Amino acid sequence: MVTTAEPCWMCTCAIRETGIRRVVVGTCTPDVGAVSTRYKLLTDEIAVWGAPPELVRGVLEAECLALRKK
């Protein structure tokens, strides 16, 4: 999965439930993100979901940030 912004907790539950193996993220969303907040649902080992997906961060970060400012 490729996204311009870090997935929120709800989106992360869908990612984990469906077994997506790699998530590519452009920018962090520290208010609701599932990696940059204290609730690291995307990267924590959670028994019902098994191993977390591979996370690739910062891809085209400047361009993704520019999209958020528009």
Side-chain angles (χ1 to χ4, degrees), residues 7-48:
C8 70
W9 306 312
M10 184 175 70
C11 293
T12 293
C13 289
I15 291 167
R16 298 291 302 266
E17 187 67 31
T18 58
I20 293 173
R21 295 183 180 197
R22 180 181 298 139
V23 179
V24 179
V25 176
T27 62
C28 292
T29 52
D31 295 332
V32 296
V35 177
S36 61
T37 65
R38 68 181 183 169
Y39 305 106
K40 299 183 181 343
L41 297 176
L42 191 59
T43 55
D44 283 351
E45 185 82 28
I46 299 173
V48 296

Side-chain angles (χ1 to χ4, degrees), residues 3-5 26-27 59-70:
T3 179
T4 59
T27 62
V59 176
L60 298 173
E61 186 171 15
E63 291 84 350
C64 292
L65 282 170
L67 290 171
R68 288 173 54 185
K69 293 178 183 179
K70 289 185 178 186

